[in-house]
Amino acid sequence: MRFRSLCRNLLPLVAVLALAACHHRDDEAAQVGGSTPEAAVQGSIDLLKAGDFNGLWKHALPAADYATLRADWSRHNANQPPVSAADRTKFDEAVRKLTGPDAETRLYAELQPKLSQMEQQYKDQLPVLISVGDALLKNGVAQNKSLDGEQKAQANQLIDVLVPWAQHAPWFDQARAKQAVGVVVAAARKLDLKSPDQLRSMDFDAAMAKYATGYAGLKQLLAIYGLSVDAALDSVKLSTLSSKDGRAVVKIDYTLLGKPLSAESTLVQQDGRWYSESLIRNVHEAHERLQQQPAAAGSTTLTALPASTASAAAKD
């Protein structure tokens, strides 16, 4: 599963939408693009809150770029190295541990003494360690070539709000830890992953469904420790700052952990509908990188793909 690659492509969109609200405009979310710049952002917001990642990509991208994304997913998977025996063993052990009978009880019994020990050792040091993480995160944002200046500023705003929360969140609370274990086990069972080969062979639709399951579990985990993603999503107000010559900027005002924040999303118009400019750009860049990989690796794997797949992948 190309989680890292997907995150790289999703990051600009998530940073731009930055925890926006849902006003139940299902008609817009169900269509490709938006009838107006605000409608385009709102439709993506609805889908993001619902965890419908397939629908999100389909809505936020023009049809040709969405086809490219889907085809490139399959091409990337076909070009992956085989799973090693060691990785296969680790995967099987992790799945058994997370999904076996009484997994919640077993995992919490294992975690409880470790949590008490960690609290004694790291409670006072944790804020300092998280401050170091703050610096590393901001450096990572600064070095990220897929983000433009505005997106980097938005990401840094988020970090400035999330770091104080992380420094004071009740990470060592036993009751919350027990809840968290239950959420992780429930998500693992729902994912129903049988083998690492299943991850490698998973098509785009199946992978997006798995991501939706993981996303729902992550939201539950964050809520346990005081960060409600849905509360932040429900706080957004949208306004159009400019719209001229098929290019528009929408301002997103929202509240995260009680702090008012804002972001801007740039949209472009194609065939009368509005789409995320940064997301289109990232899909194009990812496609170009994938096109370059076979030559660099001397691989012939991709030449065996059906002509229809190669044609769809070339549409950008």
Side-chain angles (χ1 to χ4, degrees):
M1 182 182 292
R2 357 185 307 221
F3 181 75
R4 183 178 299 176
S5 178
L6 181 72
C7 283
R8 182 176 59 244
N9 289 329
L10 272 177
L11 180 58
L13 178 67
V14 175
V16 167
L17 296 179
L19 304 173
C22 174
H23 297 293
H24 307 294
R25 297 179 186 173
D26 296 334
D27 55 333
E28 284 291 350
Q31 298 182 51
V32 175
S35 56
T36 67
E38 287 185 30
V41 176
Q42 186 64 59
S44 292
I45 287 165
D46 295 345
L47 293 161
L48 179 62
K49 184 175 181 181
D52 183 356
F53 291 107
N54 192 354
L56 176 59
W57 286 104
K58 189 173 184 179
H59 169 79
L61 290 169
D65 295 310
Y66 175 67
T68 295
L69 175 69
R70 293 178 62 91
D72 282 354
W73 181 276
S74 299
R75 295 179 66 178
H76 183 279
N77 286 347
N79 206 29
Q80 291 300 295
V83 179
S84 69
D87 287 342
R88 191 182 305 279
T89 298
K90 291 178 182 177
F91 179 93
D92 292 341
E93 290 176 351
V95 169
R96 281 196 299 270
K97 194 170 186 178
L98 287 170
T99 63
D102 297 323
E104 298 94 333
T105 302
R106 293 174 183 273
L107 286 171
Y108 181 65
E110 182 180 326
L111 176 63
Q112 189 174 20
K114 293 180 180 178
L115 204 61
S116 298
Q117 183 180 5
M118 290 174 64
E119 182 175 18
Q120 293 176 5
Q121 292 180 344
Y122 300 113
K123 185 175 182 179
D124 294 335
Q125 301 177 36
L126 189 61
V128 177
L129 294 173
I130 292 175
S131 294
V132 173
D134 177 16
L136 292 174
L137 283 172
K138 288 184 176 178
N139 183 61
V141 169
Q143 300 300 321
N144 192 317
K145 295 181 180 180
S146 68
L147 300 179
D148 61 29
E150 180 62 30
Q151 291 165 348
K152 288 179 179 180
Q154 294 166 14
N156 285 326
Q157 281 184 355
L158 289 173
I159 292 171
D160 286 339
V161 172
L162 292 173
V163 166
W165 163 75
Q167 288 175 321
H168 298 97
W171 302 116
F172 304 113
D173 183 86
Q174 296 283 351
R176 286 182 173 85
K178 189 172 184 178
Q179 283 182 274
V181 168
V183 168
V184 171
V185 170
R189 287 173 175 158
K190 189 172 181 180
L191 284 169
D192 192 28
L193 299 175
K194 304 299 186 184
S195 70
D197 301 290
Q198 178 190 4
L199 297 179
R200 293 291 181 84
S201 62
M202 198 175 292
D203 64 21
F204 183 83
D205 293 332
M208 294 303 103
K210 298 296 185 186
Y211 286 158
T213 297
Y215 173 69
L218 177 61
K219 287 205 297 183
Q220 286 182 274
L221 283 174
L222 292 173
I224 288 170
Y225 291 97
L227 196 165
S228 172
V229 173
D230 285 344
L233 290 168
D234 288 335
S235 72
V236 163
K237 298 184 185 301
L238 304 176
S239 57
T240 301
L241 296 180
S242 64
S243 184
K244 183 179 180 181
D245 299 328
R247 195 169 186 268
V249 178
V250 173
K251 185 182 180 185
I252 305 167
D253 292 301
Y254 64 102
T255 301
L256 178 63
L257 293 166
K259 305 291 184 181
L261 296 172
S262 65
E264 293 180 7
S265 175
T266 300
L267 299 105
V268 292
Q269 190 176 38
Q270 292 189 23
D271 299 323
R273 305 293 292 179
W274 292 88
Y275 305 93
S276 166
E277 182 183 62
S278 63
L279 191 56
I280 293 171
R281 181 176 63 250
N282 275 267
V283 169
H284 288 184
E285 291 174 353
H287 179 68
E288 291 173 4
R289 287 193 297 269
L290 184 61
Q291 295 288 84
Q292 295 167 3
Q293 285 178 9
S299 170
T300 58
T301 303
L302 301 184
T303 61
L305 288 171
S308 59
T309 302
S311 175
K315 292 179 181 178
D316 59 350

